[in-house]
Amino acid sequence: MVSREIKIGSLKIGGKNPIRVQGMLKSAIDNYDALLEEGRRMIEAGAELIRCAVPVQEDATKLYRHLKELEVPLIADCHFKGKIAEKALKAGFDKIRVNPGNISEESILKVAELAKKEDKALRLGFNSGSCKAEAGLELAQLALKWDKKISDTGFTNYVVSMKSSSVKDTVDANRYFSMHSVTPLHIGVTATGPQEEGVIKSSVGLGALLLDRIGDTVRVSLTGSSLKEIKIGVTLRDIATDTISKPTIISCPTCSRSHIEVRDLVRKVKEKLKKINFNKPVKIAIMGCEVNGPGEAKSADIGICGTLNGGLIIKKGEIIGSVSAGDIFDRLIKELEKL
């Protein structure tokens, strides 16, 4: 079921629009320079929307005044008091996230009314813990009740999210909701734990939903760097939608047949691309031997396949030359720079 298109600032989501990657600022709330620099780095890495915690009313205006330089839609994360959300809307934030688990129904309906008046967006963000939902189905049914309450007011410029620390509950909730509503979905797994486990949980949860074509914006949540969250979010989005928005390396897992040092070559290529600021959306194949190398590299813009005598250079499915083992790296980079 195709979701309803809505607008967040100048950005359209839902419908047939691309899936957008969202991030959340983590610097101290009163360190405006750090927040701004963090935001800039997130945007450079691929963030298309940025959310910021707004703990009290007094923070709203000051935060927006400093963060509006980021030139992407800004989202205020508001809890406990509807007045904080109202203040953030009036301050200029493009979208407000409220949690029906800790804000009264009366307050949320007032925020929705103001968002409609100000032509702003709203997210109803349901977390299983604060909403006391025991399982994914219960979380989805609660979200659907609220979905109807808001749509019955005539306001449609809003999204819903249903998150849990349980990957299964998160997936179940979003799948059920998407079968019963066209309201756009912001997806993510919350409280994922240490970074390594968090990456795995996010990959399983977001991957399952995106492959089902569920989700209009995504956020990877890690106990770690916001920049890391964005990079993983972009990679997950691209993999699940089979698109390329940055240089992407495909490489074989290596085995005893490998004629070249694949791991070392992958490392050197990644380092070189970063050093020369190479950001073109191309696919690069690095394959160790003739078994799968030429075939796998056919889908790449440029690739190398190890041979007994060095390697083959493959460009857009065609073998364009051979190279000695010592010249593989330099030739690969030279061909990349021609693209």
Side-chain angles (χ1 to χ4, degrees), residues 5-67:
E5 181 179 274
I6 74 160
K7 187 179 70 167
I8 305 171
S10 60
L11 193 68
K12 291 180 179 179
I13 71 159
K16 296 183 179 181
N17 291 294
I19 296 164
R20 313 292 189 177
V21 176
Q22 180 178 305
M24 187 160 186
L25 296 170
K26 300 189 178 190
S27 299
I29 203 74
D30 58 350
N31 191 336
Y32 303 121
D33 289 340
L35 287 166
L36 196 57
E37 179 57 27
E38 183 184 6
R40 285 173 176 151
R41 294 180 67 198
M42 290 163 68
I43 293 167
E44 191 175 292
E48 296 165 276
L49 307 101
I50 290 182
R51 179 161 53 115
C52 182
V54 182
V56 295
Q57 291 185 56
E58 291 73 24
D59 290 329
T61 301
K62 289 182 288 185
L63 280 168
Y64 181 76
R65 187 169 63 242
H66 285 86
L67 296 178

Side-chain angles (χ1 to χ4, degrees), residues 244 246-251 266 269-270 273 278 280-287 296-297 299-304 314 332-333 336 339:
I244 297 177
K246 60 181 181 178
T248 300
I249 296 175
I250 57 171
S251 57
V266 167
V269 169
K270 288 182 70 174
L273 295 181
F278 186 93
K280 293 180 181 178
V282 298
K283 185 185 286 187
I284 306 157
I286 301 175
M287 301 292 164
E296 291 294 341
S299 66
D301 295 287
I302 193 70
I304 183 74
I314 303 167
L332 185 59
I333 297 301
L336 265 172
L339 294 176

Side-chain angles (χ1 to χ4, degrees), residues 112-305:
E113 182 181 359
L114 182 59
K116 182 180 179 181
K117 179 182 177 183
E118 299 285 338
D119 194 27
K120 299 296 179 67
L122 178 70
R123 169 157 72 100
L124 298 172
F126 299 86
N127 282 12
S128 59
S130 56
C131 293
K132 299 180 175 59
E134 296 296 326
L137 178 59
E138 188 177 347
L139 190 61
Q141 289 173 336
L142 176 62
L144 284 166
K145 287 179 182 177
W146 269 98
D147 184 36
K148 186 176 186 308
K149 286 177 186 178
I150 299 299
S151 64
D152 282 350
T153 68
F155 179 56
T156 57
N157 201 45
Y158 67 95
V159 307
V160 164
S161 67
M162 294 154 288
K163 299 183 182 183
S164 171
S165 57
S166 162
V167 172
K168 184 179 185 303
D169 285 348
T170 299
V171 172
D172 287 348
N174 282 276
R175 281 177 174 164
Y176 187 88
F177 185 96
S178 68
M179 290 188 292
H180 295 84
S181 175
V182 295
T183 295
L185 287 171
H186 169 73
I187 60 173
V189 182
T190 193
T192 58
Q195 184 165 294
E196 185 175 346
E197 290 91 329
V199 171
I200 295 170
K201 286 181 179 180
S202 294
S203 299
V204 173
L206 292 178
L209 292 171
L210 291 173
L211 287 170
D212 282 349
R213 298 185 179 180
I214 297 170
D216 300 287
T217 61
V218 302
R219 189 228 166 167
V220 170
S221 300
L222 302 174
T223 305
S225 159
S226 58
L227 190 61
K228 184 81 169 177
E229 292 179 345
I230 298 300
K231 290 179 178 178
I232 293 170
V234 169
T235 300
L236 273 174
R237 187 266 316 273
D238 288 355
I239 290 171
T241 57
D242 201 22
T243 57
I244 297 177
S245 63
K246 60 181 181 178
T248 300
I249 296 175
I250 57 171
S251 57
C252 71
T254 77
C255 69
S256 301
R257 284 188 297 266
S258 186
H259 300 302
I260 59 177
E261 291 293 334
V262 174
R263 283 176 292 182
D264 185 53
L265 187 55
V266 167
R267 177 188 59 78
K268 288 172 67 177
V269 169
K270 288 182 70 174
E271 289 175 353
K272 182 66 173 181
L273 295 181
K274 185 176 181 180
K275 184 177 180 180
I276 64 176
N277 197 29
F278 186 93
N279 294 313
K280 293 180 181 178
V282 298
K283 185 185 286 187
I284 306 157
I286 301 175
M287 301 292 164
C289 75
E290 307 93 327
V291 174
N292 292 315
E296 291 294 341
K298 279 186 178 180
S299 66
D301 295 287
I302 193 70
I304 183 74
C305 169

Side-chain angles (χ1 to χ4, degrees), residues 53-85:
V54 182
V56 295
Q57 291 185 56
E58 291 73 24
D59 290 329
T61 301
K62 289 182 288 185
L63 280 168
Y64 181 76
R65 187 169 63 242
H66 285 86
L67 296 178
K68 66 181 180 181
E69 292 183 34
L70 293 175
E71 297 182 347
V72 297
L74 298 174
I75 304 161
D77 194 67
C78 306
H79 293 265
F80 306 115
K81 295 180 180 179
K83 291 291 184 184
I84 300 174

